[in-house]
Amino acid sequence: MQLQLSTWPEIEAYLAKSKAILIPIGSTEQHGPNGLLGTDALCPEIIARRAGDESGILVAPTFNVGQAQHHMSFPGTITLRPSTMIASMVDWAQSLVRHGFERLYWFNGHGGNIATINAAFSEIYHGVTFDKSRAERSNHAPLRCCLRNWWELPGVGDLTHQLFPVGEGSHATPSEVSITQFGYPEAVKSVAMTPRIAPNGPILDADDYRRRFPDGRIGSDPSQANIAAGEKIVAAAVKAVISEFRQFSAS
Amino acid sequence: MQLQLSTWPEIEAYLAKSKAILIPIGSTEQHGPNGLLGTDALCPEIIARRAGDESGILVAPTFNVGQAQHHMSFPGTITLRPSTMIASMVDWAQSLVRHGFERLYWFNGHGGNIATINAAFSEIYHGVTFDKSRAERSNHAPLRCCLRNWWELPGVGDLTHQLFPVGEGSHATPSEVSITQFGYPEAVKSVAMTPRIAPNGPILDADDYRRRFPDGRIGSDPSQANIAAGEKIVAAAVKAVISEFRQFSAS
Amino acid sequence: MQLQLSTWPEIEAYLAKSKAILIPIGSTEQHGPNGLLGTDALCPEIIARRAGDESGILVAPTFNVGQAQHHMSFPGTITLRPSTMIASMVDWAQSLVRHGFERLYWFNGHGGNIATINAAFSEIYHGVTFDKSRAERSNHAPLRCCLRNWWELPGVGDLTHQLFPVGEGSHATPSEVSITQFGYPEAVKSVAMTPRIAPNGPILDADDYRRRFPDGRIGSDPSQANIAAGEKIVAAAVKAVISEFRQFSAS
Amino acid sequence: MQLQLSTWPEIEAYLAKSKAILIPIGSTEQHGPNGLLGTDALCPEIIARRAGDESGILVAPTFNVGQAQHHMSFPGTITLRPSTMIASMVDWAQSLVRHGFERLYWFNGHGGNIATINAAFSEIYHGVTFDKSRAERSNHAPLRCCLRNWWELPGVGDLTHQLFPVGEGSHATPSEVSITQFGYPEAVKSVAMTPRIAPNGPILDADDYRRRFPDGRIGSDPSQANIAAGEKIVAAAVKAVISEFRQFSAS
Amino acid sequence: MQLQLSTWPEIEAYLAKSKAILIPIGSTEQHGPNGLLGTDALCPEIIARRAGDESGILVAPTFNVGQAQHHMSFPGTITLRPSTMIASMVDWAQSLVRHGFERLYWFNGHGGNIATINAAFSEIYHGVTFDKSRAERSNHAPLRCCLRNWWELPGVGDLTHQLFPVGEGSHATPSEVSITQFGYPEAVKSVAMTPRIAPNGPILDADDYRRRFPDGRIGSDPSQANIAAGEKIVAAAVKAVISEFRQFSAS
Amino acid sequence: MQLQLSTWPEIEAYLAKSKAILIPIGSTEQHGPNGLLGTDALCPEIIARRAGDESGILVAPTFNVGQAQHHMSFPGTITLRPSTMIASMVDWAQSLVRHGFERLYWFNGHGGNIATINAAFSEIYHGVTFDKSRAERSNHAPLRCCLRNWWELPGVGDLTHQLFPVGEGSHATPSEVSITQFGYPEAVKSVAMTPRIAPNGPILDADDYRRRFPDGRIGSDPSQANIAAGEKIVAAAVKAVISEFRQFSAS
């Protein structure tokens, strides 16, 4: 069930039986020679929408631009300042809480978002804490935020390791490229890359990043990506996210 | 050409021939009994992606949550504060300008966004003006922002008037519902509405809105919406936006 | 009745019979060769104070610096960032609401302010919506904000068209210059202008503006301005604003 | 010379001979039973405009709403948050500096503004310092901000002490009320007050203020105010401010 | 009693008998050739901790970086923007108020902080005022903030004048250097200075400051500083602050 | 070498040979029945100052209040909003960069700070990236920020595991309490705790935290803490931090 493809009476009906919503959150940033700029937003979106179709989980629109400052030396990357991202997430959360949602499951596709997402959670809880304090009300519905990266879902790591024992790397990985190839077969790119496995190293500012990682990849060989692998990863992730979301909803 | 489905080298190549980009911008808000919560984001996205496929216009990810404060009494609506929306648009613009884009065409699907988008343009230009002032540089690439609402594209208004001479209204219109029905036929809803044509009136705060417009529509009869009409409107809009974007690119 | 020329007990007495206040809002920006930098603040102020004298409408101090980024290439222009203007308007509104005002009539003299004023209204209502949500109180006094541009008051457009059938234009118009000449006859300027009617064109950033409109005018011939015309426009506007404000107060 | 009554070519000409401008800055807040809500904005405005007429000093529009949180329990008071006031003053200063102004003389009418004005000066200088640091330019025109309270001008304190040896007090003083009576004789109020001299005490938050000072005055007997006294104070202040502004301009 | 050396149950017990807390607040900025960069934070900290030990006053951690923009041309200085400092002080105050504190005694070591601290008080009270207004609750605990500079404590000025009749000056004074020498005898510096007494003058921006005051001192001769003098000043200040804090707690 | 106990000429001399500085960063928050509220600020401060004394590393003042929203239900906790913490860290970094520092080693004592610190790094780099972009300068000194938690220094984890094989837990650990007991033996508390080992669980908002962890501890038995253990941990950490800081300085 996608919020953007639902009507408000349908959401009203959903809220009568569940207070939980899944929000795909990603980034728009370079993903090497054959990875899509939308990879980090598309991966959680692809998984989440299938999970929503299968199980009735309510899926919000995708928070599609995140924290990508370190990729800014590659054309096409779009980034929010962390302070802007926090303000936006606070607004999304406040809106959902206003309607009665109490469990916000942020389903993330970008490692670089993790810090800012967690900072935003503290800012969201801060508002709740001080609001409650002021009004001395005890009956305020408890709000919980949960962050889950798709690659950390139970079973997914084992699968990607098995599919790509060498060259998974940490940015522009064959796994994430495979997912987008499965989701968007019309956008599969065939690009030669040298070296086959990209170098590793620390992530600092944007200029340094491009010096260390000239084609954008970190430690990965995404030329291994393929649609069949993407299909398997998505299937595993869909199953896992449905299970975990249900537990979170009931918490 | 969709930015999210492109690689960074593809964007680098695009920038060698064009400095212009189209950014669909909408809202996530109630659209009456049979309109989708995503209507205002989906309409410009549907039109823009087709225009991008036909003509090679570069289409950014959709700015999918906007200014919807007045719809907050209907479940599912998500809104940014205007100040947050301005900060986000400034960040998007700064990122694109950093890569060399000089013509930002914001393709809008929500009347309630217009004021804040224009305020954001002033904030974006403000940064350029004062930056230039400080550095006294004369060679800064000129930046231009353009706002276009899809329903104001040449030819589109005449067509929607012809398709829906009665009951177009101003919110949850049969035209916009038709576009989403054409784009997402799997999400066509069949819902009875009373009265057939919704009341008109001013838009004030969220509570007042729901009192005046109990099912969310303003002046419209979206039960007339149909896929065929959506197809016609999209075709007209695609043609018009390609033409206008080319002029803007060359300005 | 001017707030700044009243005592607090007088405002307390006023509030016992009315919850409405008129706030003149303008800009400090170039108005061509013979127009005053204060034109856009002075026009609504001149009209409003006369309306206040005649009818007892309460008139707030003038919000005299607004959104004038695009005029920044002309000396003397002062501008707020849109985000600052929103914050300021929120503070003015919160202060007035604290005292019991429920109808804020913003009487505007500058087209360039419209977008930011409307964005500010959404920010103001946002605060009300989420505050009410948190406290689940139903008895909060409803707040309404209204924006009215003086040149759109009933009867005023017809009059200015009749007075200046040619060369009214859209910036540094003979109508607004006439109003300030009527209000400040000691500041009437006699300046030759070439061409008689200024060029038209779009408004982009500050540098572009000065290139297109070298003396600051857009499409206008303000050499036609005269005190008698100003007197007529003011008379018509005063009558119209009193009538409209009364309706708004009673809404 | 008033900026709002000048044209941009007149300001351009002024800048060719002076880089200094005077900005009246005040507050809109209760001033006891017979003092005007606009007193703190009107006093510096009345003095400054006369000084401008006599000497050609350029006078900006009045920054008319300031820091009045502690007066918020009296109807009619309008206040900015200090952080909003700082942002606004930064915008005014940036605009003026953009045109070439280098000496900003803020002429203040409200003791409660002093802290925030000085904080704003640090914020303004902060921008200059870090901008200069980044660009390593050495030729940036030096910017100086000066704060002057009208009651501290040379000669003014002695005069007010002589005119009102008893009951000058510190808020709603006979001196400031006299100035506004001189400036706006049509707005002289005749109100009985008890006790004749208001109590003294510390200024804390808004509620506490009203408990301590029920009619708004602190330590003053403004029933002594009269137009003749206002005329004398204004004359002394005009003379002093012209002299001091000239020194500041030449610094 | 130091908060940072206490456990939460100890603070809970303290709150059962007192609602007051002392917060040392200073700056990290150059203090001339022999003064420590931490002087303005260390002085109130040294005095406050001794006062806490003697009397049981609860002493918060030191707010150790403040408003030092004008010292930024000297290495080692760290400054907050005034707007950041206000936001931080609001957060500290909100946290303490949440636990039940009602009397916040800010014990200051830096003249340059005074304006911003007072602006922050208004911002803190602003929150209380508008919160109370919204909820129309009358039983909110009253909050009071107090600012005290250590050098203005009763008896301290007389003592420093007696100890250093010549060359006390206003920045990098022998008194403050003596206090840090007493507190940190291991960090006493022996440095020759020329001229013996530094020049006086106004404080403007950072570059101007360094031009006027090349070694950082203003009007002072801190070569007179000595541990014995520091001990005397601290003793006098400890006694005075205990007395004043008790009065404030009981207010 | 402590910055706060140094003079500006000493920092100038230091900068001639090193561009690196260590900034202890912690939190002020409850640490269970016998842990100090200052624990998370004191631990990195104790280690850093010893490292500075031994090796000449320059140690900044301690950033002593951080992100502690989830501890707000325990008296004495002070927290910043994440957005305030980011703004403050940006200001600290900008100040240090202004003086020529290029390597900022943030030495952290609080797990709850990690997300916000990393978000702040992105905000700091964002400023550098866009500033560089605007000026197209290539010679800007590279800035690097590094985050190190003391408990993750090489060798420290093994040691604490050996010292406290059972009941180390994750909040109010015997290791951190031991460090503060070693640093502040006068503040050792003797408190009985039940159960001996505190429960484990997730960290959500402040109220939930107190319900799950009634005395504040998570999974720990800090009654094992002792001065001798603290001394050993500090010795190991001092050695490790000196080594790592040197590598970072040279990077």
Side-chain angles (χ1 to χ4, degrees):
Chain A
M1 182 181 188
Q2 290 185 47
L3 186 138
Q4 64 176 351
L5 299 185
S6 305
T7 64
W8 72 261
E10 290 171 339
I11 301 304
E12 194 171 58
Y14 177 92
L15 277 162
K17 55 189 176 60
S18 173
K19 304 297 189 200
I21 187 168
L22 182 155
I23 308 164
I25 184 164
S27 182
T28 297
E29 59 182 50
Q30 70 83 16
H31 270 76
N34 74 337
L36 309 182
L37 281 151
T39 300
D40 285 351
L42 296 172
C43 286
E45 187 177 279
I46 289 166
I47 297 164
R49 291 186 178 172
R50 275 162 182 75
D53 290 348
E54 277 190 27
S55 70
I57 289 175
L58 180 61
V59 178
T62 302
F63 195 104
N64 53 15
V65 167
Q67 183 40 241
Q69 178 279 325
H70 48 295
H71 295 292
M72 278 305 299
S73 294
F74 294 88
T77 301
I78 306 177
T79 191
L80 299 178
R81 283 164 289 174
S83 50
T84 306
M85 187 167 170
I86 290 171
S88 296
M89 289 180 61
V90 166
D91 288 359
W92 284 47
Q94 274 198 320
S95 296
L96 293 167
V97 168
R98 168 81 150 98
H99 301 310
F101 289 101
E102 297 176 359
R103 295 288 176 274
L104 310 185
Y105 183 94
W106 301 79
F107 188 48
N108 181 41
H110 175 43
N113 276 351
I114 297 172
T116 303
I117 290 173
N118 278 306
F121 286 2
S122 293
E123 192 103 0
I124 291 166
Y125 287 137
H126 189 99
V128 173
T129 295
F130 282 94
D131 181 40
K132 183 177 294 189
S133 153
R134 290 202 299 256
E136 282 136 323
R137 281 170 286 121
S138 57
N139 60 347
H140 193 289
L143 169 67
R144 284 196 199 167
C145 287
C146 166
L147 165 63
R148 171 58 66 193
N149 305 309
W150 66 259
W151 60 90
E152 292 176 350
L153 283 167
V156 170
D158 289 347
L159 175 59
T160 59
H161 189 68
Q162 176 191 322
L163 288 166
F164 306 111
V166 175
E168 172 70 0
S170 59
H171 186 70
T173 68
S175 295
E176 58 188 349
V177 175
S178 296
I179 294 175
T180 61
Q181 288 185 348
F182 168 64
Y184 295 87
E186 70 276 23
V188 174
K189 320 278 171 170
S190 178
V191 186
M193 305 176 210
T194 310
R196 211 185 122 236
I197 297 187
N200 277 293
I203 296 179
L204 300 169
D205 78 358
D207 285 359
D208 182 85
Y209 187 106
R210 185 142 190 187
R211 275 191 300 271
R212 290 178 193 272
F213 315 111
D215 69 1
R217 297 174 296 148
I218 304 181
S220 67
D221 171 17
S223 67
Q224 302 174 83
N226 62 86
I227 293 176
E231 186 169 15
K232 285 178 195 156
I233 301 170
V234 169
V238 165
K239 190 176 160 197
V241 79
I242 290 172
S243 167
E244 188 174 273
F245 183 86
R246 283 191 179 139
Q247 290 184 327
F248 178 62
S249 303
S251 70
Chain B
M1 182 182 189
Q2 290 186 46
L3 186 138
Q4 65 177 351
L5 298 185
S6 305
T7 64
W8 71 260
E10 289 172 337
I11 301 302
E12 192 171 57
Y14 177 92
L15 277 162
K17 54 190 176 63
S18 173
K19 306 297 188 199
I21 187 168
L22 183 156
I23 308 164
I25 183 163
S27 182
T28 297
E29 60 182 50
Q30 70 82 14
H31 269 76
N34 73 337
L36 309 182
L37 282 151
T39 300
D40 285 351
L42 296 173
C43 287
E45 186 176 280
I46 289 166
I47 297 164
R49 291 186 179 173
R50 275 162 182 76
D53 290 347
E54 277 190 26
S55 71
I57 289 175
L58 181 61
V59 178
T62 301
F63 194 105
N64 54 15
V65 167
Q67 182 41 241
Q69 179 278 326
H70 47 295
H71 295 292
M72 278 304 300
S73 294
F74 294 90
T77 301
I78 306 177
T79 190
L80 299 178
R81 283 164 289 174
S83 50
T84 306
M85 187 168 170
I86 289 172
S88 296
M89 288 179 62
V90 166
D91 288 359
W92 285 47
Q94 275 200 320
S95 295
L96 293 168
V97 168
R98 168 80 151 97
H99 301 311
F101 289 101
E102 297 176 0
R103 295 289 176 277
L104 310 184
Y105 184 95
W106 301 78
F107 189 49
N108 181 41
H110 175 42
N113 277 350
I114 296 172
T116 302
I117 290 174
N118 278 306
F121 285 2
S122 293
E123 191 103 359
I124 291 167
Y125 287 138
H126 189 101
V128 174
T129 294
F130 282 94
D131 181 41
K132 184 176 292 187
S133 154
R134 289 202 300 257
E136 282 136 321
R137 282 169 285 120
S138 57
N139 60 347
H140 194 288
L143 170 66
R144 284 195 200 167
C145 287
C146 167
L147 165 63
R148 171 59 67 195
N149 305 309
W150 67 259
W151 60 89
E152 291 177 351
L153 283 167
V156 170
D158 288 348
L159 175 61
T160 59
H161 188 68
Q162 178 191 319
L163 289 166
F164 306 110
V166 174
E168 172 70 359
S170 58
H171 186 72
T173 68
S175 295
E176 59 188 349
V177 176
S178 294
I179 293 176
T180 61
Q181 288 185 348
F182 167 64
Y184 295 87
E186 71 276 23
V188 174
K189 320 278 171 169
S190 178
V191 186
M193 305 176 210
T194 309
R196 210 186 123 235
I197 297 186
N200 277 293
I203 296 178
L204 300 168
D205 78 357
D207 285 359
D208 182 85
Y209 187 107
R210 185 143 191 185
R211 275 192 300 271
R212 289 178 194 273
F213 315 111
D215 68 3
R217 298 173 295 146
I218 304 182
S220 67
D221 171 17
S223 68
Q224 303 174 83
N226 62 88
I227 293 176
E231 185 168 17
K232 285 178 195 156
I233 300 170
V234 169
V238 164
K239 191 176 159 195
V241 79
I242 290 173
S243 168
E244 189 173 275
F245 182 84
R246 283 192 178 140
Q247 290 184 328
F248 178 61
S249 303
S251 69
Chain C
M1 182 181 188
Q2 290 185 47
L3 185 139
Q4 65 177 350
L5 299 185
S6 305
T7 65
W8 72 261
E10 289 171 339
I11 301 301
E12 194 171 58
Y14 177 92
L15 277 162
K17 56 190 176 62
S18 173
K19 304 298 187 199
I21 187 168
L22 182 156
I23 308 164
I25 184 164
S27 182
T28 297
E29 60 182 50
Q30 70 83 15
H31 269 75
N34 73 337
L36 308 183
L37 281 151
T39 301
D40 285 352
L42 296 173
C43 286
E45 186 177 280
I46 289 165
I47 297 164
R49 292 186 178 172
R50 274 162 182 76
D53 290 348
E54 276 190 26
S55 70
I57 290 175
L58 180 61
V59 179
T62 302
F63 195 103
N64 52 16
V65 167
Q67 183 40 241
Q69 178 278 325
H70 48 296
H71 295 293
M72 278 304 300
S73 294
F74 294 90
T77 301
I78 306 177
T79 189
L80 299 178
R81 282 164 289 175
S83 50
T84 306
M85 187 167 169
I86 290 172
S88 295
M89 288 179 62
V90 166
D91 289 357
W92 284 48
Q94 275 199 320
S95 296
L96 293 167
V97 168
R98 168 81 149 99
H99 301 310
F101 289 100
E102 297 176 1
R103 295 289 177 273
L104 310 185
Y105 184 94
W106 301 80
F107 189 47
N108 182 41
H110 174 43
N113 276 351
I114 296 172
T116 303
I117 290 174
N118 277 306
F121 286 3
S122 292
E123 192 103 0
I124 291 166
Y125 288 137
H126 189 100
V128 173
T129 294
F130 282 94
D131 181 40
K132 183 177 292 187
S133 155
R134 290 201 301 255
E136 282 136 321
R137 282 169 285 121
S138 57
N139 60 346
H140 193 288
L143 169 66
R144 285 196 199 168
C145 288
C146 167
L147 164 63
R148 171 58 68 193
N149 305 308
W150 66 258
W151 61 90
E152 291 177 349
L153 283 167
V156 170
D158 289 348
L159 175 61
T160 59
H161 188 68
Q162 176 190 320
L163 289 166
F164 307 110
V166 175
E168 171 69 0
S170 59
H171 186 71
T173 67
S175 295
E176 58 188 347
V177 175
S178 295
I179 294 176
T180 60
Q181 288 185 349
F182 168 64
Y184 294 87
E186 71 276 23
V188 174
K189 319 279 171 167
S190 177
V191 186
M193 305 176 209
T194 309
R196 211 185 122 235
I197 298 187
N200 276 294
I203 296 178
L204 300 169
D205 78 357
D207 285 359
D208 182 85
Y209 187 106
R210 186 143 190 186
R211 275 191 300 272
R212 290 177 193 272
F213 315 110
D215 69 2
R217 296 174 296 146
I218 304 182
S220 67
D221 171 17
S223 67
Q224 303 175 82
N226 63 88
I227 293 176
E231 185 168 16
K232 284 178 195 157
I233 301 169
V234 169
V238 165
K239 190 176 160 197
V241 79
I242 290 173
S243 167
E244 188 174 274
F245 182 86
R246 282 192 178 140
Q247 290 183 327
F248 178 63
S249 303
S251 70
Chain D
M1 182 181 187
Q2 289 186 47
L3 185 136
Q4 64 176 351
L5 298 185
S6 305
T7 64
W8 72 260
E10 289 171 339
I11 301 303
E12 194 172 57
Y14 177 91
L15 277 162
K17 55 190 177 60
S18 173
K19 305 297 188 200
I21 187 168
L22 182 156
I23 308 164
I25 184 164
S27 181
T28 297
E29 60 180 52
Q30 69 83 17
H31 270 76
N34 73 337
L36 309 182
L37 281 151
T39 300
D40 285 351
L42 296 172
C43 286
E45 187 177 279
I46 289 165
I47 297 164
R49 291 186 177 172
R50 275 163 181 75
D53 290 347
E54 277 190 26
S55 70
I57 289 175
L58 181 62
V59 178
T62 302
F63 195 104
N64 53 16
V65 167
Q67 183 41 241
Q69 179 278 325
H70 47 295
H71 295 293
M72 277 305 299
S73 294
F74 294 89
T77 301
I78 306 177
T79 189
L80 299 178
R81 283 163 290 173
S83 50
T84 306
M85 187 167 171
I86 290 172
S88 296
M89 288 179 62
V90 166
D91 288 357
W92 284 48
Q94 274 199 321
S95 295
L96 293 168
V97 167
R98 167 81 150 98
H99 301 311
F101 288 101
E102 297 176 359
R103 295 289 176 276
L104 310 185
Y105 184 95
W106 301 79
F107 188 48
N108 181 42
H110 175 43
N113 277 349
I114 296 172
T116 303
I117 290 174
N118 278 307
F121 286 2
S122 293
E123 191 103 359
I124 291 167
Y125 287 137
H126 189 100
V128 174
T129 294
F130 282 93
D131 181 41
K132 184 177 293 188
S133 153
R134 290 201 301 253
E136 283 135 323
R137 281 169 286 120
S138 57
N139 60 346
H140 194 290
L143 170 66
R144 285 195 199 167
C145 287
C146 166
L147 166 62
R148 171 59 66 193
N149 305 308
W150 67 258
W151 61 90
E152 291 177 351
L153 282 167
V156 170
D158 288 349
L159 175 60
T160 59
H161 188 68
Q162 178 191 320
L163 289 166
F164 307 111
V166 175
E168 173 68 0
S170 59
H171 186 71
T173 68
S175 294
E176 57 188 348
V177 175
S178 295
I179 293 177
T180 60
Q181 289 184 348
F182 167 64
Y184 294 86
E186 71 275 24
V188 175
K189 321 277 171 170
S190 177
V191 186
M193 304 176 210
T194 309
R196 208 185 125 237
I197 297 186
N200 276 295
I203 297 178
L204 300 168
D205 78 357
D207 285 358
D208 182 85
Y209 187 107
R210 186 144 191 186
R211 276 191 299 272
R212 290 178 194 272
F213 316 109
D215 68 3
R217 298 173 296 147
I218 304 182
S220 67
D221 171 16
S223 67
Q224 302 174 81
N226 62 88
I227 293 176
E231 185 168 17
K232 284 178 195 156
I233 300 170
V234 169
V238 165
K239 191 176 160 196
V241 80
I242 291 172
S243 168
E244 188 174 274
F245 182 85
R246 284 193 177 138
Q247 290 183 329
F248 177 61
S249 304
S251 71
Chain E
M1 182 182 190
Q2 290 185 46
L3 185 139
Q4 65 176 349
L5 299 185
S6 305
T7 64
W8 73 260
E10 289 171 338
I11 301 302
E12 194 172 58
Y14 177 91
L15 276 162
K17 56 189 175 62
S18 172
K19 305 296 188 200
I21 187 168
L22 182 155
I23 308 163
I25 184 164
S27 182
T28 297
E29 60 180 50
Q30 70 83 15
H31 270 76
N34 74 337
L36 308 182
L37 281 150
T39 301
D40 285 351
L42 296 172
C43 286
E45 186 177 281
I46 289 166
I47 297 165
R49 291 186 178 172
R50 274 162 182 76
D53 289 347
E54 277 191 26
S55 70
I57 288 175
L58 180 61
V59 178
T62 302
F63 195 104
N64 54 15
V65 167
Q67 182 40 241
Q69 178 277 327
H70 48 294
H71 295 293
M72 278 304 300
S73 294
F74 294 90
T77 301
I78 306 177
T79 190
L80 299 178
R81 281 164 290 174
S83 50
T84 306
M85 187 167 170
I86 289 172
S88 295
M89 288 178 62
V90 166
D91 288 357
W92 285 47
Q94 274 199 320
S95 296
L96 293 167
V97 167
R98 168 81 151 97
H99 302 309
F101 289 100
E102 296 176 0
R103 295 288 177 275
L104 310 184
Y105 183 95
W106 301 79
F107 189 48
N108 181 43
H110 175 42
N113 277 349
I114 297 171
T116 302
I117 290 173
N118 278 306
F121 285 3
S122 292
E123 192 102 0
I124 291 166
Y125 288 137
H126 189 100
V128 173
T129 294
F130 282 93
D131 182 40
K132 183 177 294 189
S133 155
R134 289 202 301 256
E136 282 135 324
R137 280 170 286 120
S138 58
N139 60 347
H140 194 288
L143 169 66
R144 285 196 198 168
C145 288
C146 166
L147 165 63
R148 171 58 68 194
N149 305 307
W150 67 258
W151 61 90
E152 292 177 350
L153 283 167
V156 170
D158 288 348
L159 176 60
T160 59
H161 188 67
Q162 177 191 319
L163 288 166
F164 307 110
V166 175
E168 172 69 0
S170 59
H171 186 71
T173 68
S175 294
E176 58 188 348
V177 175
S178 294
I179 294 176
T180 60
Q181 288 185 348
F182 168 65
Y184 294 87
E186 71 276 24
V188 174
K189 320 279 170 169
S190 178
V191 186
M193 304 176 212
T194 310
R196 212 185 122 236
I197 297 186
N200 276 294
I203 296 178
L204 301 168
D205 77 358
D207 285 359
D208 182 86
Y209 187 106
R210 185 140 191 188
R211 273 192 301 273
R212 289 178 193 273
F213 315 111
D215 69 2
R217 298 174 295 146
I218 304 182
S220 67
D221 171 16
S223 68
Q224 302 174 83
N226 62 87
I227 292 176
E231 185 168 17
K232 285 177 195 156
I233 300 169
V234 169
V238 165
K239 189 175 162 198
V241 79
I242 290 172
S243 167
E244 188 174 273
F245 182 86
R246 283 191 178 141
Q247 290 183 326
F248 177 63
S249 304
S251 69
Chain F
M1 182 182 189
Q2 290 186 47
L3 186 138
Q4 66 176 350
L5 298 185
S6 304
T7 64
W8 72 261
E10 289 170 340
I11 301 303
E12 194 171 57
Y14 177 91
L15 276 163
K17 54 188 177 62
S18 173
K19 305 297 188 199
I21 187 167
L22 183 156
I23 308 164
I25 184 163
S27 182
T28 296
E29 61 181 49
Q30 71 82 15
H31 270 76
N34 73 337
L36 309 182
L37 281 152
T39 301
D40 285 351
L42 296 172
C43 287
E45 186 176 280
I46 289 165
I47 297 164
R49 291 186 177 171
R50 275 163 181 75
D53 289 348
E54 277 191 25
S55 70
I57 288 176
L58 181 61
V59 179
T62 302
F63 194 104
N64 54 15
V65 167
Q67 183 41 240
Q69 179 277 326
H70 47 295
H71 294 292
M72 278 305 300
S73 294
F74 294 89
T77 301
I78 306 177
T79 190
L80 299 178
R81 283 163 291 174
S83 50
T84 306
M85 187 167 171
I86 289 172
S88 295
M89 288 179 63
V90 165
D91 288 358
W92 284 48
Q94 274 199 319
S95 295
L96 293 167
V97 167
R98 168 81 151 98
H99 302 310
F101 289 100
E102 297 176 359
R103 295 290 176 273
L104 309 185
Y105 184 96
W106 301 80
F107 189 48
N108 180 42
H110 174 42
N113 276 350
I114 296 172
T116 302
I117 290 174
N118 278 305
F121 286 2
S122 293
E123 191 103 359
I124 291 167
Y125 288 137
H126 189 101
V128 174
T129 293
F130 282 94
D131 181 40
K132 184 177 292 187
S133 154
R134 288 203 300 256
E136 282 135 322
R137 281 171 286 119
S138 57
N139 60 347
H140 194 288
L143 170 67
R144 285 197 199 166
C145 287
C146 166
L147 165 63
R148 172 59 66 194
N149 305 309
W150 67 259
W151 60 90
E152 291 177 351
L153 283 167
V156 170
D158 288 348
L159 175 59
T160 59
H161 187 69
Q162 177 192 321
L163 288 166
F164 306 110
V166 175
E168 173 69 359
S170 58
H171 187 71
T173 68
S175 295
E176 58 188 349
V177 175
S178 295
I179 293 176
T180 60
Q181 288 184 349
F182 168 64
Y184 294 86
E186 72 275 24
V188 175
K189 321 278 171 168
S190 178
V191 186
M193 304 176 211
T194 309
R196 210 186 124 236
I197 297 186
N200 277 294
I203 297 178
L204 300 168
D205 78 357
D207 284 359
D208 181 85
Y209 187 106
R210 186 142 190 187
R211 275 192 300 271
R212 289 178 194 273
F213 315 111
D215 68 3
R217 298 174 295 146
I218 305 181
S220 68
D221 171 17
S223 68
Q224 303 173 82
N226 62 89
I227 292 176
E231 185 168 18
K232 285 179 196 156
I233 300 169
V234 169
V238 165
K239 191 175 160 199
V241 79
I242 291 172
S243 168
E244 188 173 273
F245 182 86
R246 283 191 178 141
Q247 290 184 326
F248 178 62
S249 303
S251 69

